[in-house]
Amino acid sequence: MLNYFLRRLARAVVTIIGISILVFIAARLSGDPTLHMLPEDASAADIAALRAELGLDQAYWIQYLRYAMHALQGDFGTSLRYGEPALPLVLQVVPATLQLALSAFVLAKVAGIALGVIAALNRGTWVDRGLRGGAILADSAPPFWIGMMLILFFSIQLQWLPSSGRLSLESMILPMLAIAIGSIATTLRLTRSSMLETLSADYVKFLRSRGIPRRTIIWKHALRNAAIPVVALLGIQLGYLLAGTVIIETVFNWPGVGRLMVEALASRDFPVIQAGALFVSVVTVLLNLAVDMLFGVIDPRIRYE
């Protein structure tokens, strides 16, 4: 078990390093930040001087090594737009992103598992067909499109809920739904499939033959085994939800990491882009690592070498 954990930890470190390199290169491919920092009539000498001051005139590999060495010490540089350290800027908006992502995650798991069990217990009926059809539609629609449809219906037509900002709990409902709906659909389909397989297992037939009540078999025995593949997906889906907030926060003007990164990308603010992307990546990798450990605890049949 310890060896397995160490291997997974080493793989996580390699993954984070790879992501940091990709983000570093992608940020620089977005354009030259000095063009946004200087007046339009700035001379070539002024641009060259500012590039030298920021270290952008050096080779990419030198810039990356310098960035990596400072990042290991918690220094992600100074924001080119705000003139403040990049990491504190990101950490200031993390609570807003976590509030949105975690609430959407809880909603997706509770609703997805409950609807998946209902679909499995009503296999072949109109309830099952309706839930599966709705899940396919929800899984196919991109979150930003869902977000715009929610704004159009609930904010503009019905005027029930605010369409932007983070002023109250009501303002969280629509962006939370926009992020959660796709995850609900995925969890529903996975739970239904796993539940059907579990209900046809021999040990379930044995429990029925012993006269165990159906409700006890379903909620105490079958759901636990059926939940194993769903639990394995938790880390991936939470990482997906965190990443999904990037677009949704922009659509709903939600003041989180996603909106900050989009604004930083527009102004070529490399330090903020790198700090935000690396923060989301580290959280996602650690969540996957935690889920791997949890997976082994839930399923005692698994043995790690």
Side-chain angles (χ1 to χ4, degrees):
M1 185 70 178
L2 179 60
N3 290 336
Y4 171 80
F5 175 76
L6 293 176
R7 285 200 304 272
R8 289 289 299 150
L9 187 61
R11 190 180 303 173
V13 172
V14 172
T15 301
I16 291 172
I17 293 174
I19 291 174
S20 72
I21 295 174
L22 290 176
V23 171
F24 180 86
I25 295 173
R28 276 146 186 79
L29 292 178
S30 65
D32 189 345
T34 59
L35 301 179
H36 294 264
M37 301 172 66
L38 293 172
E40 292 183 359
D41 57 350
S43 65
D46 292 335
I47 295 175
L50 183 56
R51 285 180 56 81
E53 180 183 345
L54 298 175
L56 299 176
D57 60 336
Q58 298 176 341
Y60 277 4
W61 68 271
I62 295 178
Q63 293 183 46
Y64 176 77
L65 287 180
R66 188 179 59 185
Y67 153 70
M69 292 178 64
H70 284 87
L72 289 174
Q73 302 172 31
D75 178 12
F76 286 80
T78 301
S79 167
L80 304 180
R81 180 181 183 186
Y82 299 102
E84 300 178 20
L87 185 58
L89 278 175
V90 173
L91 295 180
Q92 284 177 9
V93 295
V94 164
T97 295
L98 290 180
Q99 179 189 11
L100 196 57
L102 292 178
S103 58
F105 177 75
V106 172
L107 173 64
K109 293 305 109 184
V110 173
I113 291 175
L115 293 175
V117 172
I118 292 173
L121 297 181
N122 294 276
R123 182 181 186 181
T125 66
W126 65 270
V127 175
D128 182 29
R129 291 194 293 272
L131 288 173
R132 281 189 295 156
I136 292 173
L137 288 176
D139 221 5
S140 305
F144 76 88
W145 182 84
I146 294 175
M148 290 190 290
M149 292 301 103
L150 291 174
I151 291 175
L152 181 64
F153 188 70
F154 289 103
S155 296
I156 298 177
Q157 293 293 332
L158 300 178
Q159 298 185 352
W160 285 356
L161 295 168
S163 61
S164 65
R166 190 193 177 207
L167 302 177
S168 63
L169 286 178
E170 289 183 344
S171 61
M172 189 177 71
I173 295 176
L174 293 186
M176 178 182 65
L177 285 174
I179 297 173
I181 284 177
S183 186
I184 290 174
T186 303
T187 305
L188 185 157
R189 297 167 67 182
L190 185 61
T191 302
R192 176 188 179 277
S193 174
S194 182
M195 196 70 182
L196 287 176
E197 183 179 349
T198 303
L199 290 175
S200 62
D202 291 339
Y203 79 91
V204 173
K205 297 176 183 176
F206 173 75
L207 292 174
R208 286 174 178 163
S209 68
R210 295 289 303 272
I212 304 296
R214 184 170 183 262
R215 177 177 298 180
T216 303
I217 294 175
I218 292 172
W219 297 106
K220 185 177 180 180
H221 300 283
L223 184 57
R224 176 174 178 174
N225 289 327
I228 291 174
V230 180
V231 171
L233 198 63
L234 292 181
I236 298 173
Q237 285 200 322
L238 186 52
Y240 170 79
L241 292 178
L242 277 172
T245 60
V246 173
I247 302 300
I248 295 302
E249 285 180 359
T250 305
V251 172
F252 289 92
N253 196 28
W254 187 266
V257 177
R259 198 186 71 173
L260 178 66
M261 288 180 60
V262 170
E263 292 174 351
L265 192 60
S267 58
R268 316 296 190 266
D269 194 345
F270 295 165
V272 174
I273 295 172
Q274 291 163 178
L278 198 60
F279 172 81
V280 174
S281 302
V282 169
V283 171
T284 303
V285 170
L286 291 180
L287 284 172
N288 279 284
L289 188 62
V291 168
D292 279 348
M293 299 299 108
L294 181 62
F295 191 43
V297 174
I298 291 179
D299 188 355
R301 296 170 299 180
I302 295 178
R303 296 290 182 267
Y304 299 109
E305 296 180 357

